[in-house]
Structures are given as structure tokens and as C-alpha cells.
Amino acid sequence: MNLRGRSFLTLKDFTPEEITGLLDLSAQLKEKKKKNIPVDTLRGRNVALIFEKTSTRTRCAFEVAAHDLGMGTTYLDPTGSQIGKKESIEDTARVLGRMYDGIEYRGFGQEIVEDLAKHAGVPVWNGLTNEYHPTQMLADMLTVRENFGELKGLKFVYMGDARYNMGNSLMIVCAKLGLHFVACAPEKYFPNQELVAQCEEWAEESGGTITLTENVVAATSQADVIYTDVWVSMGEPDAVWEERIKDLTPYKVTKEVMENAKPEAIFLHCLPSFHDQKTKIGKEMKERYGVSDMEVTDEVFESPQSKVFDEAENRMHTIKAVMAATLGA
């Protein structure tokens, strides 16, 4: 696997072998981290972290991973960059590419991170766009592989709004790696049909399958992995909460859903999660709509089947692998 100089924008651009190679490297780097073995082979390098959408896990994962590799970081929050406002994306890319060895972008349209990669002259990494979330996929697949020892042939069910970055990216990675992907949601929340068709082609090559269904019982029967995400994405108006709660409550991950899956099934969530009343939004939804949880119950979130914090930790190990591979560590 030689990814030196490559950008990491969407897993559509990577072969199954390259994705598996990144997972293998992630596992190696994780083992070294646990044994306190230094991996600071990128000393003297620097990376810029552009966050038009803020995030706890993505920022911490990139910063710790970069520091472990010996690199310096500059964090640019929504107020710390003129990208797209006083300076074009093209010009920003050319400036930062002269100063930094790599650039991370987390924000809005996929076209922004694509433009950055086109003009920067250094690797650009997608920390999340509206359409794709490739670094999360590596963390998810590493977590699944740690629990089952393999990926190929597993039944992976995503419940909820499958139209955006998480539904898209999970469908892609499952199709590429030979998992049986199921999107379980109301039909209007299914992924884009053009992307579904492409993923069906990849799945046919890998031995996986793609299924879209509204039937919760059929979808989760014999599932190995049950996955969900928040029902309202960052940047969407609060007004959509009422509609999403009405439409998606039947697709909440509950104890009954997990019991319908295999006994050894695991629960995953990219976080943050609204599983209790300990968040501002959680309290607000309770007051406005009388709901005590949303996409997952607290019972499931806190259960032994929940591997969400292993998954969150793996963000750092997999992001470290992406930077190490593309910068040539």
C-alpha cells in the first residue's frame, strides 16, 4: 500500500485493499500506543485543521494523532479562517499548501474539500462534509473487526436518516469490504439512488449486498451490527426536529431491536448521542415533544453491547494511520 501524497476525501476513491491496509496500519499504531512505543516519524511537519463545523472527537483525534507522529497543528475554527468569505477556497488552499504538509477540513459541501485538494499541493483529509465522513468509517470498521475478527459477510444495519454523510459512507465502506449493508428507514430517508446503484456494483464484486427497507424486524433480524446517528445533522434548522421525531421514532434503537439481532451483536454510534436528558438539546426535546431519548435508548447506549467509546477512541488511531500513510511516515 503506497498512499503517499494522496488526499483522503471519500472512500469511493480507495480500493478494498487500500482500505484494509489502512485498518491494518491503524491496528499496528494502536498497539504501539498501548505499549508506549513512539511513532514520531513526522517530526518537523505541520498540519492545518480547518473546522467550519466544530467537533470534540474529530479535533481531539487529529490533534493527538498529529502530536504522536511528531507534528505541529494549527486549529482554525469558524471564526479563525477567511475561507470562502474574504478569500476563495482556491487561494486558501494555495496559501496553506505553502505553509503546511497536510490540511484537514471539516465543514459543509464535499466540493469544498475537493477544491482544497485540487489546489493545495499537499494531502487534504476530509474530517466530515455533508456528503461523506471517511475517517469515521475507518474507526467504525476497526471497531467491528476488533469485535468479530473479520468484516466480510457481517450484517450491518444502519437505522435512521440514511440520506447524508453517515448513511452514504457506511453503505460505501460495507459495499467495498463485503459486508451486507441494510439501511432501515422510511423510504424518503433512503440514500441517493445513483449512489445505491454504484454501491451495488461494488458489493457484487466483494460478496456483500445492499438492502433498503422500512421493516425494522426484517432489517435487524440476525444483524451483527446495529448503527444509528442523531436525527438532525449539524447546520440543519431546529424546525426539522418535530418532523424527524415523528418520522424516525419507529426506527429508534431499543432493547427489543437489539434482542432481534444476534446475541453477540454490537451497537455503534458516531456520537454525540441523545440518549438521555444530560444535554441542552435533550432537555429541550423533552420540554417540547415529551421524549426522554431519541435515536437510541439509554438502556442500549449503556449496555455491554454498546461499543461507542471503543469506536470513539479508534477515531484517533485510524486518523493517525491516514496521516502517516499519506505523508509517508
Side-chain angles (χ1 to χ4, degrees), residues 129-145:
T129 61
N130 294 338
E131 294 84 359
Y132 303 111
H133 199 356
T135 58
Q136 181 69 51
M137 295 306 101
L138 295 181
D140 295 343
M141 291 299 111
L142 181 61
T143 307
V144 173
R145 197 171 76 171

mmCIF file with all atom_site columns, all heavy atoms in Angstrom, residues 129-145:
data_model
loop_
_atom_site.group_PDB
_atom_site.id
_atom_site.type_symbol
_atom_site.label_atom_id
_atom_site.label_alt_id
_atom_site.label_comp_id
_atom_site.label_asym_id
_atom_site.label_entity_id
_atom_site.label_seq_id
_atom_site.pdbx_PDB_ins_code
_atom_site.Cartn_x
_atom_site.Cartn_y
_atom_site.Cartn_z
_atom_site.occupancy
_atom_site.B_iso_or_equiv
_atom_site.pdbx_formal_charge
_atom_site.auth_seq_id
_atom_site.auth_comp_id
_atom_site.auth_asym_id
_atom_site.auth_atom_id
_atom_site.pdbx_PDB_model_num
ATOM 1   N N   . THR A 1 129 ? -17.962 16.088 5.670  1.00 0.00 ? 129 THR A N   1
ATOM 2   C CA  . THR A 1 129 ? -18.718 17.027 4.844  1.00 0.00 ? 129 THR A CA  1
ATOM 3   C C   . THR A 1 129 ? -20.180 16.588 4.880  1.00 0.00 ? 129 THR A C   1
ATOM 4   O O   . THR A 1 129 ? -20.510 15.562 5.481  1.00 0.00 ? 129 THR A O   1
ATOM 5   C CB  . THR A 1 129 ? -18.229 17.049 3.383  1.00 0.00 ? 129 THR A CB  1
ATOM 6   O OG1 . THR A 1 129 ? -18.403 15.736 2.816  1.00 0.00 ? 129 THR A OG1 1
ATOM 7   C CG2 . THR A 1 129 ? -16.782 17.478 3.290  1.00 0.00 ? 129 THR A CG2 1
ATOM 8   N N   . ASN A 1 130 ? -21.031 17.344 4.234  1.00 0.00 ? 130 ASN A N   1
ATOM 9   C CA  . ASN A 1 130 ? -22.444 16.961 4.205  1.00 0.00 ? 130 ASN A CA  1
ATOM 10  C C   . ASN A 1 130 ? -22.652 15.592 3.568  1.00 0.00 ? 130 ASN A C   1
ATOM 11  O O   . ASN A 1 130 ? -23.580 14.865 3.925  1.00 0.00 ? 130 ASN A O   1
ATOM 12  C CB  . ASN A 1 130 ? -23.251 17.988 3.417  1.00 0.00 ? 130 ASN A CB  1
ATOM 13  C CG  . ASN A 1 130 ? -23.281 19.347 4.082  1.00 0.00 ? 130 ASN A CG  1
ATOM 14  O OD1 . ASN A 1 130 ? -23.062 19.467 5.284  1.00 0.00 ? 130 ASN A OD1 1
ATOM 15  N ND2 . ASN A 1 130 ? -23.542 20.383 3.305  1.00 0.00 ? 130 ASN A ND2 1
ATOM 16  N N   . GLU A 1 131 ? -21.759 15.250 2.637  1.00 0.00 ? 131 GLU A N   1
ATOM 17  C CA  . GLU A 1 131 ? -21.958 14.025 1.867  1.00 0.00 ? 131 GLU A CA  1
ATOM 18  C C   . GLU A 1 131 ? -21.198 12.810 2.393  1.00 0.00 ? 131 GLU A C   1
ATOM 19  O O   . GLU A 1 131 ? -21.696 11.682 2.280  1.00 0.00 ? 131 GLU A O   1
ATOM 20  C CB  . GLU A 1 131 ? -21.548 14.260 0.403  1.00 0.00 ? 131 GLU A CB  1
ATOM 21  C CG  . GLU A 1 131 ? -22.436 15.244 -0.338 1.00 0.00 ? 131 GLU A CG  1
ATOM 22  C CD  . GLU A 1 131 ? -22.040 16.707 -0.125 1.00 0.00 ? 131 GLU A CD  1
ATOM 23  O OE1 . GLU A 1 131 ? -21.069 16.974 0.623  1.00 0.00 ? 131 GLU A OE1 1
ATOM 24  O OE2 . GLU A 1 131 ? -22.709 17.575 -0.701 1.00 0.00 ? 131 GLU A OE2 1
ATOM 25  N N   . TYR A 1 132 ? -20.002 13.021 2.960  1.00 0.00 ? 132 TYR A N   1
ATOM 26  C CA  . TYR A 1 132 ? -19.151 11.881 3.322  1.00 0.00 ? 132 TYR A CA  1
ATOM 27  C C   . TYR A 1 132 ? -18.417 12.112 4.647  1.00 0.00 ? 132 TYR A C   1
ATOM 28  O O   . TYR A 1 132 ? -18.150 13.246 5.023  1.00 0.00 ? 132 TYR A O   1
ATOM 29  C CB  . TYR A 1 132 ? -18.116 11.602 2.217  1.00 0.00 ? 132 TYR A CB  1
ATOM 30  C CG  . TYR A 1 132 ? -18.738 11.342 0.869  1.00 0.00 ? 132 TYR A CG  1
ATOM 31  C CD1 . TYR A 1 132 ? -18.586 12.259 -0.171 1.00 0.00 ? 132 TYR A CD1 1
ATOM 32  C CD2 . TYR A 1 132 ? -19.481 10.189 0.629  1.00 0.00 ? 132 TYR A CD2 1
ATOM 33  C CE1 . TYR A 1 132 ? -19.167 12.035 -1.409 1.00 0.00 ? 132 TYR A CE1 1
ATOM 34  C CE2 . TYR A 1 132 ? -20.069 9.966  -0.608 1.00 0.00 ? 132 TYR A CE2 1
ATOM 35  C CZ  . TYR A 1 132 ? -19.908 10.884 -1.625 1.00 0.00 ? 132 TYR A CZ  1
ATOM 36  O OH  . TYR A 1 132 ? -20.495 10.671 -2.845 1.00 0.00 ? 132 TYR A OH  1
ATOM 37  N N   . HIS A 1 133 ? -18.084 10.985 5.296  1.00 0.00 ? 133 HIS A N   1
ATOM 38  C CA  . HIS A 1 133 ? -17.350 11.036 6.565  1.00 0.00 ? 133 HIS A CA  1
ATOM 39  C C   . HIS A 1 133 ? -16.360 9.866  6.608  1.00 0.00 ? 133 HIS A C   1
ATOM 40  O O   . HIS A 1 133 ? -16.502 8.933  7.403  1.00 0.00 ? 133 HIS A O   1
ATOM 41  C CB  . HIS A 1 133 ? -18.340 10.951 7.724  1.00 0.00 ? 133 HIS A CB  1
ATOM 42  C CG  . HIS A 1 133 ? -17.808 11.427 9.036  1.00 0.00 ? 133 HIS A CG  1
ATOM 43  N ND1 . HIS A 1 133 ? -16.503 11.840 9.219  1.00 0.00 ? 133 HIS A ND1 1
ATOM 44  C CD2 . HIS A 1 133 ? -18.398 11.528 10.265 1.00 0.00 ? 133 HIS A CD2 1
ATOM 45  C CE1 . HIS A 1 133 ? -16.322 12.196 10.474 1.00 0.00 ? 133 HIS A CE1 1
ATOM 46  N NE2 . HIS A 1 133 ? -17.447 12.016 11.133 1.00 0.00 ? 133 HIS A NE2 1
ATOM 47  N N   . PRO A 1 134 ? -15.338 9.893  5.753  1.00 0.00 ? 134 PRO A N   1
ATOM 48  C CA  . PRO A 1 134 ? -14.483 8.707  5.591  1.00 0.00 ? 134 PRO A CA  1
ATOM 49  C C   . PRO A 1 134 ? -13.630 8.339  6.798  1.00 0.00 ? 134 PRO A C   1
ATOM 50  O O   . PRO A 1 134 ? -13.377 7.151  7.026  1.00 0.00 ? 134 PRO A O   1
ATOM 51  C CB  . PRO A 1 134 ? -13.610 9.069  4.383  1.00 0.00 ? 134 PRO A CB  1
ATOM 52  C CG  . PRO A 1 134 ? -13.604 10.568 4.353  1.00 0.00 ? 134 PRO A CG  1
ATOM 53  C CD  . PRO A 1 134 ? -14.959 10.976 4.825  1.00 0.00 ? 134 PRO A CD  1
ATOM 54  N N   . THR A 1 135 ? -13.164 9.320  7.574  1.00 0.00 ? 135 THR A N   1
ATOM 55  C CA  . THR A 1 135 ? -12.354 8.950  8.742  1.00 0.00 ? 135 THR A CA  1
ATOM 56  C C   . THR A 1 135 ? -13.189 8.195  9.767  1.00 0.00 ? 135 THR A C   1
ATOM 57  O O   . THR A 1 135 ? -12.687 7.284  10.434 1.00 0.00 ? 135 THR A O   1
ATOM 58  C CB  . THR A 1 135 ? -11.700 10.181 9.399  1.00 0.00 ? 135 THR A CB  1
ATOM 59  O OG1 . THR A 1 135 ? -12.714 11.120 9.780  1.00 0.00 ? 135 THR A OG1 1
ATOM 60  C CG2 . THR A 1 135 ? -10.720 10.856 8.460  1.00 0.00 ? 135 THR A CG2 1
ATOM 61  N N   . GLN A 1 136 ? -14.465 8.545  9.897  1.00 0.00 ? 136 GLN A N   1
ATOM 62  C CA  . GLN A 1 136 ? -15.347 7.815  10.807 1.00 0.00 ? 136 GLN A CA  1
ATOM 63  C C   . GLN A 1 136 ? -15.504 6.365  10.367 1.00 0.00 ? 136 GLN A C   1
ATOM 64  O O   . GLN A 1 136 ? -15.588 5.455  11.203 1.00 0.00 ? 136 GLN A O   1
ATOM 65  C CB  . GLN A 1 136 ? -16.714 8.497  10.877 1.00 0.00 ? 136 GLN A CB  1
ATOM 66  C CG  . GLN A 1 136 ? -17.707 7.816  11.816 1.00 0.00 ? 136 GLN A CG  1
ATOM 67  C CD  . GLN A 1 136 ? -17.322 7.956  13.270 1.00 0.00 ? 136 GLN A CD  1
ATOM 68  O OE1 . GLN A 1 136 ? -17.058 9.052  13.753 1.00 0.00 ? 136 GLN A OE1 1
ATOM 69  N NE2 . GLN A 1 136 ? -17.278 6.830  13.984 1.00 0.00 ? 136 GLN A NE2 1
ATOM 70  N N   . MET A 1 137 ? -15.511 6.140  9.072  1.00 0.00 ? 137 MET A N   1
ATOM 71  C CA  . MET A 1 137 ? -15.693 4.781  8.553  1.00 0.00 ? 137 MET A CA  1
ATOM 72  C C   . MET A 1 137 ? -14.556 3.862  8.970  1.00 0.00 ? 137 MET A C   1
ATOM 73  O O   . MET A 1 137 ? -14.778 2.693  9.306  1.00 0.00 ? 137 MET A O   1
ATOM 74  C CB  . MET A 1 137 ? -15.774 4.802  7.016  1.00 0.00 ? 137 MET A CB  1
ATOM 75  C CG  . MET A 1 137 ? -16.978 5.542  6.468  1.00 0.00 ? 137 MET A CG  1
ATOM 76  S SD  . MET A 1 137 ? -18.548 4.974  7.134  1.00 0.00 ? 137 MET A SD  1
ATOM 77  C CE  . MET A 1 137 ? -18.889 6.245  8.378  1.00 0.00 ? 137 MET A CE  1
ATOM 78  N N   . LEU A 1 138 ? -13.337 4.377  8.938  1.00 0.00 ? 138 LEU A N   1
ATOM 79  C CA  . LEU A 1 138 ? -12.206 3.555  9.360  1.00 0.00 ? 138 LEU A CA  1
ATOM 80  C C   . LEU A 1 138 ? -12.324 3.192  10.830 1.00 0.00 ? 138 LEU A C   1
ATOM 81  O O   . LEU A 1 138 ? -12.061 2.045  11.227 1.00 0.00 ? 138 LEU A O   1
ATOM 82  C CB  . LEU A 1 138 ? -10.890 4.291  9.093  1.00 0.00 ? 138 LEU A CB  1
ATOM 83  C CG  . LEU A 1 138 ? -10.534 4.559  7.630  1.00 0.00 ? 138 LEU A CG  1
ATOM 84  C CD1 . LEU A 1 138 ? -9.185  5.273  7.541  1.00 0.00 ? 138 LEU A CD1 1
ATOM 85  C CD2 . LEU A 1 138 ? -10.506 3.273  6.815  1.00 0.00 ? 138 LEU A CD2 1
ATOM 86  N N   . ALA A 1 139 ? -12.720 4.144  11.649 1.00 0.00 ? 139 ALA A N   1
ATOM 87  C CA  . ALA A 1 139 ? -12.907 3.872  13.078 1.00 0.00 ? 139 ALA A CA  1
ATOM 88  C C   . ALA A 1 139 ? -13.996 2.828  13.290 1.00 0.00 ? 139 ALA A C   1
ATOM 89  O O   . ALA A 1 139 ? -13.867 1.918  14.123 1.00 0.00 ? 139 ALA A O   1
ATOM 90  C CB  . ALA A 1 139 ? -13.253 5.158  13.818 1.00 0.00 ? 139 ALA A CB  1
ATOM 91  N N   . ASP A 1 140 ? -15.083 2.953  12.526 1.00 0.00 ? 140 ASP A N   1
ATOM 92  C CA  . ASP A 1 140 ? -16.187 2.003  12.652 1.00 0.00 ? 140 ASP A CA  1
ATOM 93  C C   . ASP A 1 140 ? -15.749 0.599  12.257 1.00 0.00 ? 140 ASP A C   1
ATOM 94  O O   . ASP A 1 140 ? -16.029 -0.377 12.962 1.00 0.00 ? 140 ASP A O   1
ATOM 95  C CB  . ASP A 1 140 ? -17.358 2.444  11.774 1.00 0.00 ? 140 ASP A CB  1
ATOM 96  C CG  . ASP A 1 140 ? -17.964 3.759  12.230 1.00 0.00 ? 140 ASP A CG  1
ATOM 97  O OD1 . ASP A 1 140 ? -17.719 4.166  13.372 1.00 0.00 ? 140 ASP A OD1 1
ATOM 98  O OD2 . ASP A 1 140 ? -18.674 4.393  11.420 1.00 0.00 ? 140 ASP A OD2 1
ATOM 99  N N   . MET A 1 141 ? -15.081 0.483  11.120 1.00 0.00 ? 141 MET A N   1
ATOM 100 C CA  . MET A 1 141 ? -14.672 -0.837 10.645 1.00 0.00 ? 141 MET A CA  1
ATOM 101 C C   . MET A 1 141 ? -13.610 -1.460 11.550 1.00 0.00 ? 141 MET A C   1
ATOM 102 O O   . MET A 1 141 ? -13.607 -2.675 11.767 1.00 0.00 ? 141 MET A O   1
ATOM 103 C CB  . MET A 1 141 ? -14.159 -0.741 9.204  1.00 0.00 ? 141 MET A CB  1
ATOM 104 C CG  . MET A 1 141 ? -15.240 -0.433 8.188  1.00 0.00 ? 141 MET A CG  1
ATOM 105 S SD  . MET A 1 141 ? -16.567 -1.676 8.091  1.00 0.00 ? 141 MET A SD  1
ATOM 106 C CE  . MET A 1 141 ? -17.944 -0.741 8.784  1.00 0.00 ? 141 MET A CE  1
ATOM 107 N N   . LEU A 1 142 ? -12.710 -0.636 12.093 1.00 0.00 ? 142 LEU A N   1
ATOM 108 C CA  . LEU A 1 142 ? -11.726 -1.166 13.030 1.00 0.00 ? 142 LEU A CA  1
ATOM 109 C C   . LEU A 1 142 ? -12.421 -1.719 14.270 1.00 0.00 ? 142 LEU A C   1
ATOM 110 O O   . LEU A 1 142 ? -12.074 -2.802 14.771 1.00 0.00 ? 142 LEU A O   1
ATOM 111 C CB  . LEU A 1 142 ? -10.720 -0.085 13.422 1.00 0.00 ? 142 LEU A CB  1
ATOM 112 C CG  . LEU A 1 142 ? -9.612  -0.521 14.393 1.00 0.00 ? 142 LEU A CG  1
ATOM 113 C CD1 . LEU A 1 142 ? -8.752  -1.631 13.788 1.00 0.00 ? 142 LEU A CD1 1
ATOM 114 C CD2 . LEU A 1 142 ? -8.729  0.666  14.779 1.00 0.00 ? 142 LEU A CD2 1
ATOM 115 N N   . THR A 1 143 ? -13.415 -1.003 14.761 1.00 0.00 ? 143 THR A N   1
ATOM 116 C CA  . THR A 1 143 ? -14.155 -1.445 15.945 1.00 0.00 ? 143 THR A CA  1
ATOM 117 C C   . THR A 1 143 ? -14.894 -2.745 15.665 1.00 0.00 ? 143 THR A C   1
ATOM 118 O O   . THR A 1 143 ? -14.895 -3.670 16.493 1.00 0.00 ? 143 THR A O   1
ATOM 119 C CB  . THR A 1 143 ? -15.161 -0.365 16.384 1.00 0.00 ? 143 THR A CB  1
ATOM 120 O OG1 . THR A 1 143 ? -14.481 0.884  16.529 1.00 0.00 ? 143 THR A OG1 1
ATOM 121 C CG2 . THR A 1 143 ? -15.818 -0.736 17.703 1.00 0.00 ? 143 THR A CG2 1
ATOM 122 N N   . VAL A 1 144 ? -15.531 -2.827 14.505 1.00 0.00 ? 144 VAL A N   1
ATOM 123 C CA  . VAL A 1 144 ? -16.237 -4.061 14.138 1.00 0.00 ? 144 VAL A CA  1
ATOM 124 C C   . VAL A 1 144 ? -15.254 -5.220 14.039 1.00 0.00 ? 144 VAL A C   1
ATOM 125 O O   . VAL A 1 144 ? -15.510 -6.324 14.548 1.00 0.00 ? 144 VAL A O   1
ATOM 126 C CB  . VAL A 1 144 ? -17.002 -3.873 12.813 1.00 0.00 ? 144 VAL A CB  1
ATOM 127 C CG1 . VAL A 1 144 ? -17.588 -5.201 12.332 1.00 0.00 ? 144 VAL A CG1 1
ATOM 128 C CG2 . VAL A 1 144 ? -18.107 -2.839 12.978 1.00 0.00 ? 144 VAL A CG2 1
ATOM 129 N N   . ARG A 1 145 ? -14.131 -4.981 13.395 1.00 0.00 ? 145 ARG A N   1
ATOM 130 C CA  . ARG A 1 145 ? -13.148 -6.056 13.219 1.00 0.00 ? 145 ARG A CA  1
ATOM 131 C C   . ARG A 1 145 ? -12.572 -6.511 14.558 1.00 0.00 ? 145 ARG A C   1
ATOM 132 O O   . ARG A 1 145 ? -12.313 -7.712 14.755 1.00 0.00 ? 145 ARG A O   1
ATOM 133 C CB  . ARG A 1 145 ? -12.026 -5.589 12.281 1.00 0.00 ? 145 ARG A CB  1
ATOM 134 C CG  . ARG A 1 145 ? -11.211 -6.733 11.728 1.00 0.00 ? 145 ARG A CG  1
ATOM 135 C CD  . ARG A 1 145 ? -10.252 -6.280 10.651 1.00 0.00 ? 145 ARG A CD  1
ATOM 136 N NE  . ARG A 1 145 ? -9.086  -5.580 11.180 1.00 0.00 ? 145 ARG A NE  1
ATOM 137 C CZ  . ARG A 1 145 ? -8.012  -5.238 10.450 1.00 0.00 ? 145 ARG A CZ  1
ATOM 138 N NH1 . ARG A 1 145 ? -8.000  -5.499 9.148  1.00 0.00 ? 145 ARG A NH1 1
ATOM 139 N NH2 . ARG A 1 145 ? -6.989  -4.617 10.991 1.00 0.00 ? 145 ARG A NH2 1
#
